[in-house]
Amino acid sequence: MAPIRPRDSVALMEGYHSPQLDVDVRLNTNESPVAPPAAFVDALAAEVGRVQWHRYPDRAATELRTRIGELHGVGPEQVFVANGSNEVLQTLSLTYGGPGRTVAVFEPTYALHSHIAHMTGTTVAEGERAADFSLDMAEVRRVVSAAEPAITYLCSPNNPTGMVETRDTVTEVLGLVPGLLVVDEAYGQFAPWSALELVDEATPLVVTQTFSKTWSMAGARLGYLVGPSWVVAELEKVVLPYHLDALKQAAGIIAVRFRSEMEERVAQLTEERGRLEAALRELPCDVWPSGANFVLFRPQTLDGADVWAQLVERSILVRNCSSWPRLEGCLRVTIGTTDEDDRFLDALGEILT
Ligand SMILES: Cc1ncc(COP(=O)(O)O)c(C=O)c1O
């Protein structure tokens, strides 16, 4: 028995788990299958020698925020940057959530939205998506009017379903919520449109994005949001001083110079996603159309957990969602390189047929 107990809400918490195994083909955490360009790594290596290691970094990360803002046609005052978009989400919850406040989520969706709410003492109002995982507007109305959430989360493309919310849906939800609407676009660049086009100073909408997926930089832990400057100003009050180290700021500034390479990788992965989806449809599987760099599927002839274990035996790791509520029997596979995906498809075919 530990001598000191954490607060009850933490003691009862399960924590967030994403099991890693030592395998040949890792298709479980939606990372990019390829490294960033070699020229990026070289430029960053040169930067290491220029960092003033005995000084604190630029606390406001002004240059990085300016460069990210330029990607989206906004000024630095509309950009908040943190250690991965998870820290952006946590800062939103610390700022606009907390005891006595509620966030609304529509399940199934990214587990961290409600996990972070719990960690920050925020109540979670859980709405249900329709059977096909689309957003049910009657349910949105019900949850929003009952809970009056300070924050409402949408995830587009949604993790783990891959579904993209339409512009009409986001606009309609925006018209219903009493607080802030957060559209989590961790996979936004893989989708045909972005809610970034709805962001302006008068609208309580923020859009979060990350360098982890499309920028091939999960190891750097860098994410951001674009929103009204008055939201960004509040978040800056809450986040720890100097939370972004100097090298990370440099990494982000250098990375955005490689935008066209990033877009090329996204185009390749999107094409590969089409191939993988089509191949999955040839197998006895239910397959959900995806606007992200992963695909959700459910084997029809065998239990999902069993298929997951048989894939692991063949040194292939996908995400096992089969025991998650509403996702019984489902697995989620990240789009990998053509070789990795072929290995996955061959193994799955062997297991299922
Ligand atoms: C929907 C969604 N949001 C946010 C994140 C967190 O990304 P980051 O690496 O930027 O913290 C993920 C990571 O898998 C995700 O799936």
Side-chain angles (χ1 to χ4, degrees), residues 29 84-86 89 110 155 159 184 186-187 210 212-213 221-223:
T29 44
S85 54
N86 280 340
L89 301 173
Y110 183 46
C155 187
N159 181 7
D184 181 338
Y187 307 94
T210 178
S212 296
K213 320 290 178 180
R221 309 304 300 126
L222 188 59

Side-chain angles (χ1 to χ4, degrees), residues 16 18 28-36 84-86 110 157 159 184-190 208-224 261-263 265-266 269 292-294 319 332 334-335:
Y16 178 75
S18 178
N28 63 327
T29 44
N30 302 340
E31 294 149 326
S32 167
V34 290
S85 54
N86 280 340
Y110 183 46
N159 181 7
D184 181 338
E185 289 193 357
Y187 307 94
Q189 291 95 334
F190 295 107
T208 63
Q209 295 211 341
T210 178
F211 282 73
S212 296
K213 320 290 178 180
T214 46
W215 292 93
S216 301
M217 283 170 64
R221 309 304 300 126
L222 188 59
Y224 62 93
E261 286 85 344
M262 181 277 275
E263 285 168 350
R265 285 198 300 274
V266 169
L269 282 171
N293 68 336
F294 55 82
R319 194 71 197 264
R332 190 195 67 196
T334 304
I335 312 302

Side-chain angles (χ1 to χ4, degrees), residues 16-342:
Y16 178 75
H17 304 286
S18 178
Q20 286 299 354
L21 299 173
D22 192 13
V23 289
D24 293 346
V25 180
R26 261 174 59 172
L27 301 174
N28 63 327
T29 44
N30 302 340
E31 294 149 326
S32 167
V34 290
F40 161 83
V41 179
D42 292 346
L44 186 58
E47 196 58 35
V48 173
R50 282 194 285 270
V51 169
Q52 290 204 308
W53 291 103
H54 60 304
R55 300 289 181 201
Y56 282 110
D58 172 14
R59 182 168 170 178
T62 308
E63 189 180 352
L64 176 58
R65 289 164 62 204
T66 304
R67 296 284 99 80
I68 292 172
E70 283 166 4
L71 292 175
H72 303 300
V74 298
E77 69 288 350
Q78 285 195 255
V79 180
F80 174 76
V81 187
N83 294 285
S85 54
N86 280 340
E87 196 189 35
V88 176
L89 301 173
Q90 184 189 50
T91 312
L92 280 165
S93 216
L94 286 168
T95 308
Y96 290 97
R101 293 192 168 210
T102 300
V103 308
V105 298
F106 296 91
E107 298 288 356
T109 192
Y110 183 46
L112 259 278
H113 295 160
S114 40
H115 181 69
I116 288 171
H118 289 132
M119 285 194 301
T120 55
T122 315
T123 302
V124 178
E126 213 173 83
E128 295 290 325
R129 285 169 180 271
D132 66 354
F133 299 138
S134 64
L135 210 56
D136 171 354
M137 289 314 291
E139 175 74 345
V140 175
R141 263 186 220 98
R142 184 190 70 74
V143 171
V144 164
S145 63
E148 304 230 323
I151 302 174
T152 300
Y153 282 109
L154 292 181
C155 187
S156 179
N158 190 24
N159 181 7
T161 66
M163 189 169 277
V164 181
E165 304 298 356
T166 64
R167 193 181 199 278
D168 284 354
T169 302
V170 176
T171 311
E172 203 176 338
V173 175
L174 202 46
L176 291 174
V177 297
L180 197 61
L181 178 63
V182 178
V183 182
D184 181 338
E185 289 193 357
Y187 307 94
Q189 291 95 334
F190 295 107
W193 85 286
S194 166
L196 281 164
E197 63 188 64
L198 301 174
V199 170
D200 64 42
E201 280 297 283
T203 309
L205 165 72
V206 299
V207 177
T208 63
Q209 295 211 341
T210 178
F211 282 73
S212 296
K213 320 290 178 180
T214 46
W215 292 93
S216 301
M217 283 170 64
R221 309 304 300 126
L222 188 59
Y224 62 93
L225 71 70
V226 176
S229 58
W230 45 271
V231 172
V232 173
E234 298 299 334
L235 301 178
E236 292 292 354
K237 286 189 213 165
V238 172
V239 78
L240 291 174
Y242 308 112
H243 69 301
L244 285 177
D245 66 77
L247 192 58
K248 183 183 316 242
Q249 292 188 35
I253 291 163
I254 295 168
V256 297
R257 287 192 225 141
F258 293 88
R259 181 182 190 163
S260 57
E261 286 85 344
M262 181 277 275
E263 285 168 350
E264 226 168 83
R265 285 198 300 274
V266 169
Q268 273 165 13
L269 282 171
T270 308
E271 201 181 322
E272 176 66 2
R273 177 184 73 204
R275 184 181 82 90
L276 189 100
E277 262 189 57
L280 278 173
R281 284 183 205 287
E282 297 292 310
L283 294 171
C285 290
D286 300 322
V287 183
W288 282 270
S290 171
N293 68 336
F294 55 82
V295 178
L296 185 75
F297 67 100
R298 182 192 281 130
Q300 292 162 348
T301 46
L302 276 179
D303 176 50
D306 188 11
V307 173
W308 181 83
Q310 291 198 48
L311 285 168
V312 171
E313 276 167 25
R314 290 164 173 81
S315 208
I316 297 161
L317 185 60
V318 299
R319 194 71 197 264
N320 184 3
C321 320
S322 63
S323 63
W324 299 1
R326 309 163 188 88
L327 293 167
E328 289 76 14
C330 288
L331 303 174
R332 190 195 67 196
V333 60
T334 304
I335 312 302
T337 61
T338 314
D339 286 351
E340 288 172 329
D341 295 343
D342 280 344

